[in-house]
């Protein structure tokens, strides 16, 4: 094996160990660690880089994907920085689904049992996010 390959493998192992340690520190349970780690590795490069900066240095990179910003997600939705950054990645890839979930206060659509439960949710919706949701609904009806 080449020295460069060995160093790359060591670096990946070290990064994985650091990420897992930070996720455990943030309270992630064992059942979701593997899934969250996979989400991090599947994320866009700038998201992965921002997560590594946070894991290594404790510095939150305020990524922005209009109308969302990492710091606003942390403040408004009480997310930890990794969850906020992963939400940004999800929003880039599946904007309507991610937007619906954040507005409903759930991690995934399947977390909602039925329409009655959706109506009972008491979620404060920031005005800019609500406007974005309305724009998406209008574009769906036009198609």
């Amino acid at each position: 094996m080449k020295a460069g390959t060995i160093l790359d493998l060591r670096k990946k192992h070290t990064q994985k160990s650091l990420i897992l340690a930070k996720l455990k520190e943030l309270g992630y349970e064992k059942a979701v660690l593997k899934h969250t780690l996979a989400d991090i590795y599947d994320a866009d490069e700038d998201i992965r880089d921002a997560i590594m900066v946070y894991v290594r240095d404790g510095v939150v990179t305020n990524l922005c994907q209009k109308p969302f910003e990492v710091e606003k997600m942390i403040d408004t939705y009480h997310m930890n920085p990794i969850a906020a950054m992963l939400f940004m990645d999800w929003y880039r890839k599946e904007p309507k689904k991610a937007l619906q979930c954040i507005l409903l206060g759930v991690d995934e659509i399947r977390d909602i049992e039925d329409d009655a439960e959706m109506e009972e949710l008491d979620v404060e919706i920031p005005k800019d996010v609500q406007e974005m949701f309305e724009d998406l609904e209008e574009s769906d009806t036009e198609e």
Side-chain angles (χ1 to χ4, degrees):
M1 209 180 252
K2 294 182 180 180
T5 304
I6 293 170
L7 289 175
D8 286 344
L9 290 173
R10 271 195 152 161
K11 182 179 177 184
K12 285 182 182 178
H13 178 72
T14 301
Q15 286 180 338
K16 181 179 177 180
S17 296
L18 288 171
I19 293 168
L20 286 172
K22 181 57 86 173
L23 291 173
K24 288 176 184 176
E25 178 185 312
L26 292 170
Y28 282 75
E29 295 182 20
K30 189 175 183 179
V32 296
L33 284 174
K34 188 175 182 179
H35 178 73
T36 304
L37 192 61
D39 288 345
I40 292 169
Y41 286 126
D42 291 340
D44 291 342
E45 186 176 358
D46 64 325
I47 303 278
R48 285 192 317 267
D49 291 346
I51 289 172
M52 282 312 302
V53 167
Y54 173 68
V55 167
R56 272 192 325 264
D57 307 325
V59 175
V60 176
T61 304
N62 192 29
L63 299 169
C64 181
Q65 188 69 43
K66 292 293 180 188
F68 299 104
E69 295 176 22
V70 167
E71 289 178 358
K72 190 185 286 188
M73 300 297 295
I74 293 167
D75 292 339
T76 304
Y77 297 103
H78 310 290
M79 292 181 168
N80 69 62
I82 293 175
M85 291 179 212
L86 287 175
F87 175 83
M88 291 295 179
D89 188 67
W90 184 26
Y91 182 72
R92 288 177 182 176
K93 294 171 181 171
E94 297 180 289
K96 182 165 181 148
K97 192 176 194 180
L99 188 57
Q100 288 173 328
C101 286
I102 199 72
L103 291 174
L104 295 172
V106 297
D107 289 335
E108 296 185 34
I109 292 293
R110 69 174 176 237
D111 290 342
I112 302 295
E113 297 296 325
D114 56 33
D115 290 336
E117 185 178 338
M118 286 176 60
E119 291 174 8
E120 292 174 11
L121 292 173
D122 183 22
V123 178
E124 183 178 330
I125 303 170
K127 186 173 175 60
D128 56 345
V129 174
Q130 182 60 40
E131 288 169 356
M132 178 61 130
F133 185 66
E134 290 167 358
D135 290 345
L136 282 175
E137 286 180 339
E138 289 173 13
S139 68
D140 281 351
T141 57
E142 293 172 5
E143 292 176 3

